[in-house]
C-alpha cells in the first residue's frame, strides 16, 4: 500500500484531537519512514469541533454523520475515538466497508461487543489497532526487552495499577464515562483495560482472577452536551444524576506462566494523579515503572550492578523511538508522544500490509479477562479466563 494513508476520524474530543496531533507529527518526527497520513475527514456531532478540526488541525472536510466517511474511496483507515457505546456500530460498519480500523480502548462498550468487533474485523481482513498507549513508553519497551532476554530470571510477581484523579472531585461532571448505558462498565473498561494490557504484554496471558468493585462517588453534577471533558467540574447546587458504574476494581490474578499478581484501578482516589504503573519481580531481578514519571525506570539486576538495591534508569535516545523526539539522555518525552509512537507503528503495519500489535486480538484477550472479573463480582469466587472469541 502507498505510504500516503487516508484517515477518517470519528469523535473529535480528547482522544480525537490527540490522535490527530499524532498523525500530524509522524512526517515531522519520523520523516525517515516516508509515511504521510492524510487527514481526509472528521465526523463529530458538535459543529464547533468540526470547525476546530478543519480550521486548526488541517482536516480536509467534516460532517456530523460518521457513515459518510465509510463510502469514501480516499479513506483507508477509520479511527474510532467516539464514546464506547458507539464503538461496535462504527467498527462493524467500517469492517463491512473494507476499511482498516483503529479503535480506542476498550474496543466496545462491554466484553461481548469486543468479541463482535474482533470477529467482524478478522473476517473482513482489516488491519486493526488499539489505544494501549502505555506500552509504547521507551522504558516499558526496555523492560519488555529485559524480560525477553531473561535478565529478570523467572518472573514470579506482578503488581499493576492505574490510579487516576479524574473522578475524585465530587463536583466532577457526570460525563458519559460515569453511566453504564453510555460507557458500559466504569473503570473496568476505562482504565483496567490499560492495566490488563500492560500485565499481559509483560507477563503473558492471565488465566484466573478473583475481583471486587465499588462506587465511591454516587452522584455527580449533570454536564452540558458537547462542552468540556470528564476533567471538568460543576458548581455546588447544580442538578445531579446517579453514577451507575464502578469507581474501583481490584483483582488477584494468576498468569499462565505461574506469575502471581494484583491489579487495582480507581478513578476517585486522592493522591495519585495518573499512576498507571507496575512492579515486577523475578528470580534474578526486579523493575518498577510509573506513567507519572514515564522517563524513569526503577531497575534491580543484582548480578549486573556494582551496588545492591534499585537504580534509576533515565530514558533517552538510546531507547526505542525516544531519539526521534529529542536527542541525548534525560530529555523527557510525554503522554502524547506515546500516541505518536502508537499511530506510527499502526500506520507502518497498514503501509506494509501486515498485522499490527496491539490489535483487536489483544483487545479480545483483554476483554476476556475483564469478563472473568465481572463473573467474579457475581460469584465472589475465583473465575477462569475463557476466550470470548466468536469463530
Ligand atoms: N488511550 C487512552 O489513554 C484514552 C484516554 C481517553 C479516552 N480514551 C478512549 O477514547 C474514546 C473517546 O474518549 P474521549 O475522552 O476522547 O471522549 P470525549 O467525550 O472527549 O470525546 C468524544 C467525542 O465524540 C463525539 N461524538 C459523540 N457522539 C458522536 C457521534 N454520533 N458521531 C460522531 N462523534 C460523536 C463527541 O461530540 C466528542 O467530541 C473512548 O473510547 C475512551 O475510552 C482513551
Amino acid at each position: 500500500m502507498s505510504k500516503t494513508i487516508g484517515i477518517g476520524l470519528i469523535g473529535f474530543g480528547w482522544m480525537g484531537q490527540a490522535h490527530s496531533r499524532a498523525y500530524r507529527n509522524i512526517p515531522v518526527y519520523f520523516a525517515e519512514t516516508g509515511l504521510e497520513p492524510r487527514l481526509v475527514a472528521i465526523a463529530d456531532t458538535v459543529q464547533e469541533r468540526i470547525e476546530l478540526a478543519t480550521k486548526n488541525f488541517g482536516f480536509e472536510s467534516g460532517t456530523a454523520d460518521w457513515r459518510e466517511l465509510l463510502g469514501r474511496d480516499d479513506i483507508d483507515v477509520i479511527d474510532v475515538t467516539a464514546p464506547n457505546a458507539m464503538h461496535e456500530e462504527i467498527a462493524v460498519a467500517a469492517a463491512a466497508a473494507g476499511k482498516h480500523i483503529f479503535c480506542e480502548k476498550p474496543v466496545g462498550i462491554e466484553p461481548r461487543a469486543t468479541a463482535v468487533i474482533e470477529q467482524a474485523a478478522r473476517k473482513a481482513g482489516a488491519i486493526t489497532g488499539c489505544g494501549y498507549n502505555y506500552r509504547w513508553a521507551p522504558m516499558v519497551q526496555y523492560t519488555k526487552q529485559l524480560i525477553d532476554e531473561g535478565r529478570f530470571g523467572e518472573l514470579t510477581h506482578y503488581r499493576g495499577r492505574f490510579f487516576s484523579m479524574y473522578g475524585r472531585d465530587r463536583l466532577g461532571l457526570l460525563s458519559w464515562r460515569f453511566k453504564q448505558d453510555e460507557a458500559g462498565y466504569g473503570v473496568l473498561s476505562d482504565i483496567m483495560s490499560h492495566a490488563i494490557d500492560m500485565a499481559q504484554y509483560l507477563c503473558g496471558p492471565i488465566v484466573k482472577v478473583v475481583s471486587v468493585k465499588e462506587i465511591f462517588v454516587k452522584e455527580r453534577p449533570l454536564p452540558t452536551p458537547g462542552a468540556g471533558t470528564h476533567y471538568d467540574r460543576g458548581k455546588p447546587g447544580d442538578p445531579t444524576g446517579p453514577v451507575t458504574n464502578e469507581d474501583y476494581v481490584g483483582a488477584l490474578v494468576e498468569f499462565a506462566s505461574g506469575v502471581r499478581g494484583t491489579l487495582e484501578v480507581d478513578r476517585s482516589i486522592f493522591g495519585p494523579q495518573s499512576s498507571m504503573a507496575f512492579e515486577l519481580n523475578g528470580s534474578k531481578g526486579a523493575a518498577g515503572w510509573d506513567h507519572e514519571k514515564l522517563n524513569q525506570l526503577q531497575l534491580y539486576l543484582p548480578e549486573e550492578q556494582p551496588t545492591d538495591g534499585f537504580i534509576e534508569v533515565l530514558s533517552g535516545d538510546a531507547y526505542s523511538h525516544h531519539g526521534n523526539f529529542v536527542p541525548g539522555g534525560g530529555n523527557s518525552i510525554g503522554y502524547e508522544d506515546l500516541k505518536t509512537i502508537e499511530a506510527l507503528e499502526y500506520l507502518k503495519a497498514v503501509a506494509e500490509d501486515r498485522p499490527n500489535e496491539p490489535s483487536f486480538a489483544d483487545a479480545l484477550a483483554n476483554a476476556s479477562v475483564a469478563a472473568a472479573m465481572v463473573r467474579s463480582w457475581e460469584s465472589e469466587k475465583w473465575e477462569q479466563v475463557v476466550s470470548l472469541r466468536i469463530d
Side-chain angles (χ1 to χ4, degrees):
M1 181 166 181
S2 151
K3 291 196 168 187
T4 303
I5 298 171
I7 309 287
L9 190 140
I10 302 174
F12 199 60
W14 176 21
M15 272 307 105
Q17 294 172 37
H19 286 212
S20 303
R21 284 188 286 270
Y23 291 129
R24 288 174 59 100
N25 280 339
I26 288 171
V28 180
Y29 287 122
F30 295 93
E32 70 281 7
T33 65
L35 285 169
E36 287 189 27
R38 187 179 146 209
L39 300 180
V40 176
I42 180 85
D44 200 293
T45 41
V46 177
Q47 186 57 31
E48 296 78 53
R49 292 206 162 159
I50 296 176
E51 281 164 23
L52 182 68
T54 49
K55 285 196 185 128
N56 297 60
F57 282 69
F59 276 90
E60 294 166 24
S61 61
T63 171
D65 179 7
W66 59 266
R67 288 186 179 278
E68 283 177 21
L69 274 49
L70 303 186
R72 292 186 62 152
D73 292 339
D74 50 358
I75 291 180
D76 305 296
V77 168
I78 290 292
D79 188 346
V80 188
T81 48
N84 302 350
M86 299 182 61
H87 290 181
E88 181 177 348
E89 190 185 3
I90 297 172
V92 168
K99 304 299 184 192
H100 299 303
I101 313 160
F102 190 99
C103 184
E104 260 304 340
K105 41 61 58 176
V107 188
I109 191 165
E110 40 104 14
R112 180 209 54 82
T114 314
V116 171
I117 293 169
E118 190 276 337
Q119 182 201 35
R122 174 170 26 94
K123 297 222 155 165
I127 297 168
T128 60
C130 182
Y132 300 132
N133 32 269
Y134 300 101
R135 280 182 180 216
W136 294 113
M139 289 295 93
V140 174
Q141 293 284 308
Y142 182 50
T143 305
K144 173 78 168 128
Q145 179 193 326
L146 294 174
I147 292 171
D148 292 346
E149 290 171 358
R151 306 268 286 279
F152 298 113
E154 183 189 337
L155 294 184
T156 50
H157 302 73
Y158 180 89
R159 293 170 299 289
R161 65 176 178 275
F162 198 155
F163 290 150
S164 175
M165 46 60 75
Y166 76 77
R168 76 179 176 206
D169 188 332
R170 269 57 183 162
L171 291 175
L173 295 179
L174 186 68
S175 74
W176 58 266
R177 270 192 173 71
F178 299 97
K179 299 197 266 187
Q180 185 90 28
D181 55 343
E182 291 183 45
Y185 296 105
V187 285
L188 182 76
S189 341
D190 193 15
I191 52 181
M192 182 59 97
S193 56
H194 282 302
I196 293 171
D197 181 66
M198 186 68 85
Q200 300 205 109
Y201 178 56
L202 295 174
C203 298
I206 292 170
V207 291
K208 213 171 154 188
V209 306
V210 60
S211 179
V212 292
K213 63 164 177 163
E214 182 58 285
I215 300 177
F216 289 116
V217 183
K218 298 193 169 22
E219 291 273 327
R220 291 183 176 279
L222 297 170
T224 310
T229 73
H230 61 300
Y231 285 104
D232 290 321
R233 320 172 64 238
K235 296 187 295 305
D238 280 355
T240 63
V243 174
T244 50
N245 57 24
E246 74 290 343
D247 288 327
Y248 169 85
V249 175
L252 293 176
V253 299
E254 285 187 22
F255 295 79
S257 61
V259 174
R260 295 293 192 269
T262 60
L263 298 179
E264 213 183 4
V265 301
D266 196 301
R267 64 188 179 193
S268 64
I269 191 168
F270 269 82
Q273 306 286 331
S274 185
S275 183
M276 161 68 203
F278 65 80
E279 287 143 19
L280 59 84
N281 312 80
S283 55
K284 284 167 54 177
W289 177 83
D290 189 333
H291 166 246
E292 288 183 354
K293 298 173 182 171
L294 83 78
N295 292 278
Q296 299 165 28
L297 179 69
Q298 303 302 316
L299 192 58
Y300 181 48
L301 294 173
E303 292 175 11
E304 304 180 27
Q305 292 172 198
T307 53
D308 203 20
F310 279 91
I311 58 165
E312 185 173 278
V313 178
L314 281 185
S315 192
D317 62 9
Y319 301 98
S320 78
H321 300 97
H322 193 125
N324 281 70
F325 296 95
V326 58
N331 294 323
S332 303
I333 65 167
Y335 172 88
E336 286 221 356
D337 298 323
L338 306 188
K339 287 314 249 186
T340 299
I341 299 169
E342 171 183 278
L344 167 81
E345 292 298 329
Y346 175 66
L347 292 190
K348 276 189 346 202
V350 171
E352 292 163 18
D353 197 23
R354 60 165 169 80
N356 174 61
E357 258 187 67
S359 67
F360 288 179
D362 297 288
L364 177 67
N366 194 309
S368 301
V369 175
M373 288 183 186
V374 172
R375 289 198 304 278
S376 177
W377 298 345
E378 287 152 13
S379 69
E380 301 191 339
K381 293 194 169 77
W382 281 92
E383 294 286 343
Q384 299 289 333
V385 175
V386 180
S387 173
L388 300 176
R389 180 180 153 116
I390 307 167
D391 285 321

